[in-house]
Structures are given as C-alpha cells and as structure tokens.
Amino acid sequence: MIQAILVFNNHGKPRLVRFYQRFPEEIQQQIVRETFHLVLKRDDNICNFLEGGSLIGGSDYKLIYRHYATLYFVFCVDSSESELGILDLIQVFVETLDKCFENVCELDLIFHMDKVHYILQEVVMGGMVLETNMNEIVAQIEAQNRLEKSEGGLSAAPARAVSAVKNINLPEIPRNINIGKPLLPAPACGA
Amino acid sequence: MALKMVKGSIDRMFDKNLQDLVRGIRNHKEDEAKYISQCIDEIKQELKQDNIAVKANAVCKLTYLQMLGYDISWAAFNIIEVMSASKFTFKRIGYLAASQCFHEGTDVIMLTTNQIRKDLSSPSQYDTGVALTGLSCFVTPDLARDLANDIMTLMSHTKPYIRKKAVLIMYKVFLKYPESLRPAFPRLKEKLEDPDPGVQSAAVNVICELARRNPKNYLSLAPLFFKLMTSSTNNWVLIKIIKLFGALTPLEPRLGKKLIEPLTNLIHSTSAMSLLYECVNTVIAVLISLSSGMPNHSASIQLCVQKLRILIEDSDQNLKYLGLLAMSKILRTHPKSVQAHKDLVLQCLDDKDESIRLRALDLLYGMVSKKNLVEIVKKLMSHVDKAEGTTYRDELLTKIIDICSQCNYQHITNFQWYISVLVELTRLEGTRHGHLIAAQMLDVAIRVKAIRKFAVSQMSALLDSAHLVASSTQRNGICEVLYAAAWICGEFSEHLQEPQQTLEAMLRPKVTTLPGHIQAVYVQNVVKLYASILQQKEQAAEPEAAQDVTQLMVERLPQFVQSADLEVQERASCVLQLVKHIQKLQAKDVPVAEEVSALFAGELNPVAPKAQKKVPVPEGLDLDAWINEPPSDSESEDEKPKAIFHDEEQRHAKQRQPEAEEEELARRREARKQEQANNPFYIKSSPSPQKRYQDMPGVEHIPVVQIDLSVPLKVPGMPVSDQYVKLQEEREHRQRPEKDRRRRKKKDKDKRGKPRRHSSLHTESDEDIAPAQRVDIVTEEMPENALPSDEDDKDPNDPYRALDVDLDRPLADSERLPVQKHRNAETTKSPEKEDVPFVEKKIKKPRKKEKKHREKEREKKEKRKEEKEGEDFDFWLSTAPLPAAAPAPAPVRARESLERTLSPLPLREGARSPGERSEATRTRTETMSGTPRRLRSIRRRSPRRRRRRRDPRTRRSPRRSSLQVKRRQSPWRTARSLTSLSRPCPATASWPRTPTSR
C-alpha cells in the first residue's frame, strides 16, 4: 500500500499532498516539512530510499523519492510494494504529467493542482496502484477532459476573459525563473 | 465611494478562480495568512450563492487551501452539494475535495450514501469512476456496509475501466466491513482471470494485500497464481505475485519446492532489475522455509548471492542498497554463503551514502566470528571517530554493541577487550545510547565472573574521571554509564584495589549535578563500599582508619540529603542515620563490620525479564476470583452493568463453593507456596546452585581459564582496546601448536562416541581460538515450569485480524451482502432521487423471487467447487515437480521461438544450449496438442486424474493449458508488456530523462 504521495519543491513548498490515511491538517504539514528536511539533506547521487521511521507508520514504511529539476516526488510505501517498482511508478507519473501538460514544469503544478490530482487518481487509487500503462492513463485523462469541455468547463468564457484582464496588471508573473524549468528535458519525451 | 462599490460588485461578479487565488497568494508573500483569511471570507460568501458553478469554484479553491494546511471541514456540507451536481466537471471537484478532507469523523458523510449509490449506477463511466475514486479515500464502515453490494455488481461491469476500480476499492471495503469478504471473494477470484490486464492486475493487487496479512487463507489460490506467474508478461503483476509467494511459502514448504525452478528460470531470463530483485527475495524466502535441504539447495543460494553481489557492485546506489537489504535476509539462515563477501560489505561501510552504510552495518552483524570480531570492531570504532552526524554515530554504537553481545557473547574470546571497548565508547559526546553501554557493562560484569576484577578496576577509573564524562552535558547521554560504574564498584567492592579512593570519588560534591536516578545508585553503593572498607580495616585492626571513613561519610552524605530528588533524599537520610549509629558504636569500640556487610550479603541472580509472565497459573488458582466479597450493589449503578456483574458473580460463586472445605484450603496454600518458590521475585531462603545451570547442563564443569596476566590489570588512565588486537595475535600464535595437539586428542575422543559438549558455543572455523573468559550464566534464569511459548507480541487491535476468515467454507444465507431495498423506500421522499429507486425496483423484483432458488443452487455449486479445489491444491502440491516443471519453462522458451519469428525485440535474454532448445520446442508442441505424453503417463497412474478426465465438467486442465499457449503467442500481449510499466531494464538503464536532476 502507498501511504502518502507528496510533491514539494526545493524550498519545501507543497505542490501536491495526498494522504491515503487520515491525518489532521497540522500533522500533514508537519510530515511534509519533516520529509522535506530528510530529503533535502541527501545528495542527488545517493540512493532514493529512506527509512521514514517515526513519520508515518513505523519500520515497515519507506520513503521512495525522485528529484526532478525543482521538484521532489516522494512516495511513502509499506513493505508490500516493490521499491524499484515504485521508482518506476514515479517516473510513469511524471511522464504522464509531461504528456498532459506538454513539457511540464513546476508552474503547471502550482496553477493546476486540481488537474494533477485528477491525473494521480488515474495512477493510484486509495493507496493502491491502479494503472501503470501510460497510454491507458493518458487516454482516460483526455476522455475526461473532453467530457469537461463539452460541459463548458468550470468557468465560462466571459469570466476567463476577465481573469485575463486581471492578469495584465500584475507585476512580473514568474517570480522565480527556476520554476519554469521543465521537469523532463524535451528531446527524450515520448520514448 | 460609489466607484469603490461598483468595483466591489464587479469583483464579486467575476469571482477569483483557483489560478487567481494561487497568483494572489504568490503576490502576498509578506502577509500570506491575512490574504488567505480574506480569501476564505470570500469563499464563504460564494458558498452561500445558489449557482452551483460558483460553489464548485469555491470548493476547488478550498482544496488548494487544504494542501497549505488549512482545515476545510467546515465546508463539508457544501462539498456534498457540489458532489451531487449533475455535471461531471463539478462532481469531480466535489469528490476531490471530499477525498482530501472527509474521514470517519465527518458527520455529514452519512448523507452521501444515496448520492454515491446513484453515481455508481450512473450511465456515464466517468461519473462512476470519480465516485469510486473518491469513495476509496473516505469509505467508512457504514458506507462500506451500504454500498458493498453495489460495488460488487460493478466488478462485472462491461467497461474494464470501472471493473478495475471496483476491484481495487473492494480491499478498502473489506477493511471497513470484514463481513463482505466472504461473499465477494468468489467474484474477486474470477477477476484474476479477467481478459483485461488492468483488471487482472488490480485483482492480483487486492489479493496480495489480503494475503499479506493472513496468508494461510489464500494457500488454495497458489495453483492459480502459479499459472499466472508462468503466463503473465506484465512485470508489475509478476512482481506482486512473486511477493505473494514469498508470503505463502513459509506456510507450505511443498509450494516452495515447486517454485524454485520457475523462479530460477526467471532470474536467469529477466532483464528487469525490479523483477530480478523480487525473484531473488522470494527464492530466499523459499530457502528459509525449506529448513531441511533439498539437493540443489546450495546452488540456488549460490545463484542468489551471486546475483546480489552483482547488484551491490553496481554503480546505481539504489541497486546497491537493495542488494544489501536482500543479502541480510540470506544472512539469517545461511551466514556462510554471505560471509564469503565480507570484503564487499566492508567496502560499503566506506560508502558516502548513509543508507548504504546502515545496511552494510546490518550485514556486518552476521559476518563476525571469533577470529575477526576484534578487527571488525576496530574498524567500526574508527568510523565512530570519523562519523559526522550523531544519528549515524549512534547507529554505529548500537551496532557495535549488537555485534559483540549477539548470542550470549558467542564471539567474544576476551572480555577484557570488550570492557575496554565499552569504556572507550563512553568518550563519545552527545550520544543517546549511554544506557545501552551501561546495560552491557552491568551484564558482562554480572555474568562473567572471571572479568569482575578487571571490570571493577576499569569502573573505578571511570568514576575517578567522572568529571570528564559528565562535564559536557546533562542531556541523559553518556552519564548513564556512571550508573553502571557505581553499581559495579559497589556490588563487587571486594575486587577494588583502592576502595577508599573510589569512595571519595563517589562522594565528590560534583556528583550532585548528576540525574537523580544515578545519584540514588551512588548513595546505595557508597554504603556497599563503606561496608567492605570497614571490614578491611577491622580485619587489619585499624580502628582509626575505620573511624575516619565513617567521619567522611557523615560529612559528605548531607549533600545528598538535600537533594530535590525524592529517591536520593530518602536513601541518603536512611544511610546517614545508619552511619551515625555506626559512628556511635565505633566510638564504643564495638566491631561493626560484620553486621554492616551482612546488609549486602548474598549474590544477585540474573533473571529473564519476562520470567514472571511465563510462570503458569497453578491449578486451582483463579486470578479473577474475588478475594473479598465484592462491594454490594450501590444505588448509583444502573440496570445493565448490574446484570452483567450479577452473571459473573454466579459463575465465580460456583467455583468458590468447594473452597470452603478445609482440605481445599490446605491444598491451595500448598499451591501458593509452590508458586512463591517458583516466583523469581520472592526472596528465597537459599537459592539452589544447580538451578542456575539447568538450561546448560554441565556448564559448571567448564574450567575457568586463568586471566592472561600479560595484560596489566590496572591500566593507568583510560584504557585502549587496540592493545588487545596485538595481544590476540600473539596468543593465537602461541596457542596454535598446542591447540593442534589438543584438537587431535579431541577428535579421538569424538570417535569414541562421546558427544561434543557446548557445540553451540563455537563453530568449526572458530575452534582454534580459546576464549580467555567464559560467560558463566549462559542463559538467564527461568522459573522451573516456565512456558517456552511467547504470545506477548500479538496485537489485539490489528485491523487486519477481522479479515482472517475461512474463505473456502461455503457461504451461508446470513452472510449475503445487504441489498438496500428498504433504504431506497425510505429515501423516496427526497424529490431528486425519485426516479432512481424506481429503476432499481424494476430490476430487483424478479431477483427477489428467484433469489432463494438461485442461492441454493449457487451454494451447492460452490460447495462442490470448493471441495474440488481443496483436493486440487493438495494434488497440485503433491505431484512430482514434473507437471509443473514442464509448463514452467515453456513460456520463456515458447516466447523465445516466437521472438525469433515475429518480433526483432529481444524481450528476454539468456543463452541456452541447442539440446535444451530442441527439448523446449518439443514441450511446446506437446502442450499444444493437448495432453503431453509425459503428463499422460502420470495420469494413467493416478486414479483421481482418470476420473476427472471422464467427467466433462472437470475436464478443463488440458483445455486451459492450450489456451495458455495461444494467449502467450499473441503478439499484442508481448507488445503490451513493453508499454506496461517496467520497460526491459528500468532501474539500471539510467533514466535518460533524469540528468537535469542529477
């Protein structure tokens, strides 16, 4: 079982928090912070497994993470999951994000947290792996997006226009240039 | 002013969406909390509006705020409103928010039951999917009970997308509503053979999770999984199945024997590291379960160890880590084969990655022997000095102690060395494990009698330099060792060279800064020391000196009397009064030493920590019976508890009746005495000396080897353990010729038929190192009729316990899942749901009529089927590996020939000899033609098989096997395996897309 899926950036700002076991919000934030500090200490060229210990569950749980550009993707899993399998799963998840957002970068995750959740829901459900075939995942997401479009989406056209106008006044939108960095380098996509 | 109002209303008209919110938060970095609270106010306004789109937008924003740590449970009702929207767009938002913030404590959750049921039966598969996904996160026992039947029907939905979600969610339903497991299980089992690979994978996933907790109930599925394992090409499924087999094999060794061959084949053929790793893991589990070896047993181990070595030597740190992890599993049962790779493990100790160093440390535990212990610990000690982080250093410390103390100090030949190591470890600053070191010091000093003199000398040195140990910090770290030091010096004070000096050290004013419990031990042991000094002085006829010591005590003890710690204060006051009394007696020239030392006469016996629990309750003793009459029922008690109480009373009364008889009373008194005699916590008049050695007959005959006096017993200053390395080498050198002679003699003796004693204490390779000291008390003392079993570690609150049900028993009527009829009737009041129950009713009416009949039939069928399966499993296991072995390698080979003709992609590599290949093609053609010749010959021999062949209903195994071959040959399946999760070599072939992060 997967206990939690956390995505946060190099500064520990949460970008996606998905727990499959109930924790109160403060504890969730605490777990994110602690996990961030655990992961931050580690170089990129050392192994991607971490014994979580006191955070969630106990000795049966492991943190398995990958670091892409500005983001950490951390999965907290128990011993029924294959470690290398979960590493693959993270890769599948990120590649799926890449396909759905076209060259995904941190900005996409910041502004479309809901969409990221919907994509994740097609990969992992209730803590169990639902689908590992990327084509299948993308096909389902696209079908749902089409369905949403046919319903007119969340905000109708005039509201969108207004929000576009509102944007114009805002000072420099991407404050941190790093954030716009694609998680996956372009040429390797779709391999 | 007016302008402002207009602007405000426009803003409200075009509410912020999620993107605006995020942007706003990013632009208000300084006053984020204030901005967000402002946004929450806006959201509250939006939620009050009737427009569902506005509400959905608000809920979407709330979901984002939840991620930032804001509690949004106050909006639970609005979330339900959005969930019940008709548009998919809104529904999805609602369910997402619900899945993030609903839990069992959310009270409005019970309002969702009918909405979810409606969504589950929605014609749109995505509505159903979204409902299933959401439900999987917040399912409660009530929801599980009410919806179990609906979800079960979805397991046979036409769309695989729904099927796989329904199958997966069943696990959550089982957890919350265990009664649903038995009724749903047959269908879940069917899904293992679903045509859609995704559904199949989901079913495997669920059963693996279930089987992990209660493996024995799923043994009967082994043949089915075995078939899946040999036919599936989806690595994800394979990994799960192989992991499952790892959990099943300890229960059924025959299964392990069957598995070895196909697993070995997979290990040879697969190129996916994840799969290889799991195969190795399961083979290890199998080997562990097969305690008595099978012929090619060692070959399998060798293979595993070899493959793991490749993993460990890999440059990929992940593989290195996992290799070490798996290696430690082998270590437990086959230490010899791992010990060969000691070089590798020691090398990993120097790795820059802490996780890897920790894993290597674990391995080291099993690598030590009498020969290399000193050397390995020396290496570890040097690591301790170098270690930068306290956590790693603490880990090193515990490992050093673990390694040395394992199996009753089996590997330690020289306890002086060990004590020195422990003393050296006390120099660590800021460690949390002071108490560990202290425990070891105590343990060794108590149990190894020969070392006491040396230990006492070291401990007194430690007490002398206590300021070094305790000076830096107070945080319950290393000063714990002073606890041990004080106790040892006090208890074994007869070994002290300069007792007076130690006494003075323990009475220094600085001591009062130590933690209370340590001071208490100081006070207590000061008296012991004092007693032995008195004795010495009186024997030497030096009354003056004795009085001086008493004077010292009287002067210094008041500092403890003033302590804030109650324990210290109390002990100190008592002792002070005692000493004052002694002083008076001394003034009258009365010899007191005898009486004072009588206070501490006798030796302490170590007792196992769980000894008390293991003493069985003597016959006739009822611990729950009232000793006195229970308090009479008071008025304040209400009806119900009284009734229960009353019942219990009666039961006890019955048991207590015979008690009145005199005879019985006498008998019970006897029993109590007996129990007291066995109870280690009762002080016995004279401990029987034989008892101590009862677990290890003949230990008392072991000659205690004289301490090697080439080591100066009193080491000035802090001792250094390094000297023992040299010393050991020397001693080995010296002893070798002598040993050889002795060994030859021993062998002669053995030949004469005398069993060798204490073989457990040393292994073959270690024979030529003579231990300098022996652990005297090998096993901690246990009361006579203590029970060996230990049931303490079972957790009664385990949520998985409820799922431990017999799945093979036929289903009873009462166990059927509740079908929600009456509930629908109740809810017809609500207008929006009116049409739904109508449709449902239509479907359900005929069902009602036929139900009984159908159920009966189904039950019969199930009964028959299950009986058959039970037989099948046993038969499947008992058959010689032949039928299993024949189909097992087939897939690989068949696929290989297929690859040659169909696809240029090399899926599985592995060179095989031409002879083998020709045999492979032969098995393949045989399998395809229906009944292979070899199988047929077996069947002829087995009467049960023959019967089955005649029976058309049961004649499915040959058909199925041909189907397997067909399926295997389908090019789409092989193609899918490429797109499926694990591409050929996921972990090793470094990801081409990760370099940005590296």
Side-chain angles (χ1 to χ4, degrees), chain A residues 16-18 113-121, chain B residues 96 100:
Chain A
L16 178 91
V17 176
R18 170 81 269 189
M113 183 209 69
D114 48 344
K115 298 213 169 57
V116 179
H117 265 295
Y118 300 144
I119 294 168
L120 181 63
Q121 282 176 356
Chain B
L96 174 63
Q100 288 289 68

Side-chain angles (χ1 to χ4, degrees), chain A residues 1 13-18 20 22 25 28-29 42 44-49 51 60 62 66-69 78-89 91-92 95 110-114 117-118 121-122 125-126 128-136 140 143-145 147-148 151 153-155 159 162-163 166-167 170 173 175 179 183-185 188-189 191, chain B residues 14-20 22-23 26-27 29 32 53 56-57 60 63-64 66-71 87-90 92-93 96 99-101 103 124 126 132-133 136-137 161 164-165 168-169 171-172 198 205-206 209 212-213 236 239-240 243 273-274 277-278 317-319 321-322 325 352-353 355 359 976 979 981-983 986-987 991 993-994 996-998:
Chain A
M1 287 275 284
K13 285 253 183 232
R15 295 303 177 211
L16 178 91
V17 176
R18 170 81 269 189
Y20 294 104
R22 169 69 193 167
E25 273 76 13
Q28 289 187 2
Q29 293 299 312
R42 300 171 65 84
D44 270 344
N45 52 359
I46 62 178
C47 77
N48 297 6
F49 311 121
E51 268 117 287
D60 197 33
K62 259 201 196 87
R66 270 180 182 278
H67 188 194
Y68 294 92
D78 67 12
S79 61
S80 74
E81 301 292 345
S82 146
E83 290 88 347
L84 293 174
I86 293 292
L87 274 183
D88 286 355
L89 190 71
Q91 178 73 13
V92 167
E95 279 182 39
I110 295 173
F111 286 105
H112 302 281
M113 183 209 69
D114 48 344
H117 265 295
Y118 300 144
Q121 282 176 356
E122 297 301 321
M125 180 176 135
M128 281 181 288
V129 179
L130 179 67
E131 184 58 68
T132 52
N133 182 348
M134 200 176 7
N135 295 335
E136 173 74 18
Q140 297 298 351
Q144 291 179 44
N145 287 346
L147 182 58
E148 189 177 301
E151 285 177 350
L154 178 58
S155 42
V162 169
S163 80
K166 277 193 272 184
N167 286 349
L170 290 172
I173 301 162
R175 298 203 145 206
I179 289 174
L183 297 183
L184 302 171
C189 280
Chain B
F14 302 114
D15 298 312
K16 285 197 195 87
N17 61 14
L18 175 63
Q19 281 75 36
D20 298 330
V22 175
R23 205 169 287 128
R26 289 164 65 77
N27 286 331
K29 283 221 166 101
E32 196 182 285
N57 185 32
C60 186
T63 315
Y64 182 81
Q66 194 271 345
M67 181 183 77
L68 297 183
Y70 289 85
D71 179 25
K87 275 190 181 178
F88 170 75
T89 316
F90 305 143
R92 184 155 76 158
I93 291 170
L96 174 63
S99 73
Q100 288 289 68
C101 81
H103 52 94
S124 157
Y126 292 113
L132 283 172
T133 309
S136 73
C137 294
Y161 178 73
K164 70 183 177 193
K165 286 199 168 190
L168 267 194
I169 203 178
Y171 178 65
K172 294 277 172 157
N205 217 334
V206 169
E209 281 294 336
R212 202 164 70 95
R213 307 295 178 171
W236 190 269
I239 286 173
K240 280 279 171 190
K243 263 186 168 288
M273 276 300 173
S274 45
Y277 172 70
E278 295 306 336
Q317 295 283 323
N318 291 331
L319 295 183
Y321 173 88
L322 293 176
L325 198 65
K352 59 188 181 301
D353 187 345
S355 307
R359 290 279 78 80
R976 196 191 169 277
T979 55
L981 170 77
S982 300
R983 267 143 296 170
W991 292 97
R993 252 145 293 158
T994 43
T996 40
S997 61
R998 302 255 146 127

Side-chain angles (χ1 to χ4, degrees), chain B residues 205-439:
Chain B
N205 217 334
V206 169
I207 293 188
C208 286
E209 281 294 336
L210 289 169
R212 202 164 70 95
R213 307 295 178 171
N214 302 298
K216 67 173 190 308
N217 301 338
Y218 300 88
L219 264 179
S220 60
L221 287 181
L224 188 55
F225 275 116
F226 192 83
K227 206 183 84 190
L228 277 177
M229 183 176 81
T230 47
S231 63
S232 178
T233 51
N234 181 345
N235 278 346
W236 190 269
V237 170
L238 279 177
I239 286 173
K240 280 279 171 190
I241 294 175
I242 288 167
K243 263 186 168 288
L244 171 70
F245 276 133
L248 291 182
T249 41
L251 301 166
E252 182 56 87
R254 284 181 295 172
L255 176 64
K257 278 183 194 163
K258 253 191 144 64
L259 282 173
I260 285 269
E261 196 179 328
L263 284 179
T264 318
N265 286 336
L266 263 179
I267 290 178
H268 279 304
S269 61
T270 187
S271 55
M273 276 300 173
S274 45
L275 186 57
L276 172 87
Y277 172 70
E278 295 306 336
C279 284
V280 170
N281 253 337
T282 299
V283 170
I284 294 168
V286 168
L287 294 176
I288 290 171
S289 73
L290 297 173
S291 46
S292 55
M294 49 189 278
N296 52 355
H297 188 91
S298 59
S300 307
I301 293 186
Q302 233 32 59
L303 177 68
C304 288
V305 175
Q306 258 172 34
K307 287 281 174 185
L308 288 181
R309 184 171 176 115
I310 294 173
L311 288 189
I312 296 173
E313 281 173 338
D314 200 284
S315 60
D316 185 331
Q317 295 283 323
N318 291 331
L319 295 183
K320 192 173 270 199
Y321 173 88
L322 293 176
L324 290 168
L325 198 65
M327 202 69 121
S328 66
K329 283 180 197 153
I330 302 186
L331 187 73
R332 263 170 243 154
T333 46
H334 302 90
K336 285 267 164 61
S337 29
V338 182
Q339 269 158 14
H341 303 281
K342 203 181 93 187
D343 54 318
L344 201 59
V345 174
L346 286 178
Q347 202 181 309
C348 288
L349 268 188
D350 296 322
D351 202 285
K352 59 188 181 301
D353 187 345
E354 194 175 293
S355 307
I356 287 179
R357 286 197 306 250
L358 287 175
R359 290 279 78 80
L361 272 181
D362 280 348
L363 272 177
L364 218 51
Y365 178 83
M367 305 227 139
V368 290
S369 62
K370 288 187 180 180
K371 269 185 187 164
N372 59 19
L373 176 71
V374 175
E375 174 203 339
I376 285 182
V377 170
K378 190 183 163 196
K379 195 172 163 88
L380 289 182
M381 296 289 278
S382 72
H383 275 280
V384 171
D385 291 337
K386 275 187 284 177
E388 63 276 14
T390 39
T391 38
Y392 179 59
R393 206 174 49 179
D394 281 357
E395 192 61 31
L396 271 170
L397 194 153
T398 43
K399 274 283 137 44
I400 290 176
I401 288 176
D402 275 356
I403 287 172
C404 292
S405 63
Q406 64 174 314
C407 307
N408 271 312
Y409 309 99
Q410 184 190 334
H411 299 303
I412 295 183
T413 51
N414 187 340
F415 278 97
Q416 290 184 11
W417 163 79
Y418 187 43
I419 296 259
S420 316
V421 167
L422 289 175
V423 172
E424 232 173 286
L425 286 176
T426 62
R427 283 183 228 158
L428 277 184
E429 250 173 65
T431 177
R432 287 180 295 116
H433 293 304
H435 60 277
L436 264 183
I437 304 175

